[in-house]
Amino acid sequence: MNLRRLKYFVKIVDTGSLTQASEILHIAQPALSQQLATLEHEFDQKLLLRTRTGVTPTQAGQVLYRHAQVMLRQFAQAQSDVKNSGRALSGQVSVGLAPGTAAASLALPLLKAMHDQHPEIVLHINENLGTTLCEVVKNGCMDMAVLYGGKRVVQGLAFDHLLDEELFVVAPAGMLPGEGQVTLKELRDINLLLPRSHNYLRQYVDEAFASQQMAPRVVAEIESSETLASAVASGVGATVLPVSAARTVAASITGHLSRIVSPTIEVPLALCASDHLPLSEPAQAVKTIVLELVEHLELAAGLHSIH
């Protein structure tokens, strides 16, 4: 087996077509088919299934595809590290930032710090749901991500705890009793707009309600921050968010902001990376800067950094 065959295999899976892959790779299709046959012989497994619309990976092919992506990415970084040894760090580093979190406050400072300290490193920033970011980091398709859920154990991932955020309620004016704070019991009969149950934030909310022998009254599950803000503004219900996101949403719709008490709920923000794939030198440099920014940057009042 060689890396060239793995590169061919990844391109075939990405395009879903031997014909398209051969055109992109500038290789005759019969020769590409022979390379695939050799790869299947080396693994003694059928890797692709031919269909009327193209090709799809078998279960064994999906496993190889994940490993091949990691190996090709690591080899490319090794080439860059060796070529630039003794010189300034260079290469590509990908960082995921979960939207609607304090991580959003890190994006611009991180870009500026990288430009000042490591201008040869190309930073790729991806904003996506925490569960999606966990998956791509675990598969080696992304170097690291900043997201919620750092106190939970996820196989294949390691977490560096960055800070804790308290949860607040954003509601239309007049929906909540009191001023500035609300107890969990007072939210029992309030229509809530929350993310889906697999979302880390939702899990912390559900657990808090369960600790009080209650369940949240969820009238809609919304992942889009824009749709969520519009729904709250229109009076459909209230939502529960970390303080950084809650302040942003409340300001955009002139909503009522209340801290949850009795009990307070905190969600941990963490830097997530693979627990078995070592970070490249450029990625390690980016991680160091992220940790420094969390330590020195005043993200917002009410955030509790552990550094």
Side-chain angles (χ1 to χ4, degrees):
M1 184 181 65
N2 58 46
L3 291 174
R4 184 175 61 179
R5 286 197 195 100
L6 288 180
K7 179 182 177 182
Y8 293 165
F9 175 72
V10 167
K11 185 58 67 177
I12 293 171
V13 174
D14 284 342
T15 60
S17 166
L18 279 165
T19 303
Q20 289 185 37
S22 67
E23 292 175 354
I24 294 171
L25 295 167
H26 304 292
I27 301 171
Q29 187 169 330
L32 187 59
S33 296
Q34 182 57 49
Q35 292 289 337
L36 175 61
T38 301
L39 197 60
E40 290 182 324
H41 176 73
E42 289 172 340
F43 281 100
D44 194 25
Q45 291 279 351
K46 187 73 173 176
L47 300 174
L48 293 176
L49 294 175
R50 287 170 172 80
T51 67
R52 287 180 296 178
T53 57
V55 293
T56 58
T58 62
Q59 186 172 358
Q62 292 173 355
V63 173
L64 178 59
Y65 177 74
R66 291 196 297 269
H67 284 287
Q69 285 182 306
V70 173
M71 287 186 280
L72 291 171
R73 191 160 163 264
Q74 287 184 319
F75 182 71
Q77 187 60 57
Q79 285 181 309
S80 176
D81 290 347
V82 171
K83 181 180 178 180
N84 296 292
S85 58
R87 292 157 48 180
L89 291 177
S90 65
Q92 295 187 340
V93 178
S94 52
V95 180
L97 300 175
T101 72
S105 301
L106 290 172
L108 187 55
L110 178 59
L111 287 170
K112 289 181 176 178
M114 292 303 299
H115 177 74
D116 293 339
Q117 300 180 37
H118 302 288
E120 299 300 317
I121 295 178
V122 178
L123 191 63
H124 171 69
I125 294 179
N126 184 338
E127 292 192 3
N128 215 317
L129 297 177
T131 48
T132 301
L133 294 177
C134 275
E135 192 63 30
V136 292
V137 170
K138 185 163 60 175
N139 289 341
C141 298
M142 181 175 289
D143 293 298
M144 67 195 79
V146 181
L147 42 76
Y148 290 126
K151 291 181 180 177
R152 299 175 182 275
V153 176
V154 180
Q155 187 176 4
L157 296 176
F159 294 87
D160 285 300
H161 185 195
L162 300 178
L163 51 83
D164 292 317
E165 283 197 85
E166 287 190 356
L167 294 187
F168 277 58
V169 177
V170 184
M175 178 174 284
L176 296 179
E179 287 291 334
Q181 64 181 31
V182 61
T183 67
L184 206 60
K185 287 185 178 179
E186 289 174 320
L187 293 177
R188 182 203 301 263
D189 298 320
I190 299 296
N191 291 341
L192 293 178
L193 312 169
L194 298 176
R196 297 180 66 184
S197 58
H198 65 261
N199 183 284
Y200 285 126
L201 174 60
R202 171 67 180 274
Q203 290 171 15
Y204 278 92
V205 173
D206 287 346
E207 288 172 4
F209 272 87
S211 72
Q212 304 298 309
Q213 290 76 52
M214 300 185 302
R217 183 177 179 179
V218 181
V219 296
E221 296 180 328
I222 302 174
E223 304 285 355
S224 165
S225 56
E226 291 184 5
T227 302
L228 185 62
S230 298
V232 173
S234 66
V236 174
T239 190
V240 178
L241 293 169
V243 58
S244 57
R247 285 181 176 140
T248 300
V249 171
S252 69
I253 62 172
T254 61
H256 184 79
L257 189 65
S258 297
R259 176 172 175 258
I260 298 176
V261 297
S262 300
T264 58
I265 311 171
E266 289 188 343
V267 292
L269 192 71
L271 189 144
C272 159
S274 171
D275 66 0
H276 59 281
L277 299 173
L279 290 175
S280 65
E281 289 186 63
Q284 186 61 56
V286 172
K287 177 180 177 179
T288 299
I289 290 177
V290 169
L291 295 178
E292 290 174 351
L293 288 173
V294 171
E295 183 176 359
H296 297 108
L297 184 65
E298 186 178 353
L299 293 171
L303 302 187
H304 308 296
S305 172
I306 67 165
H307 294 284

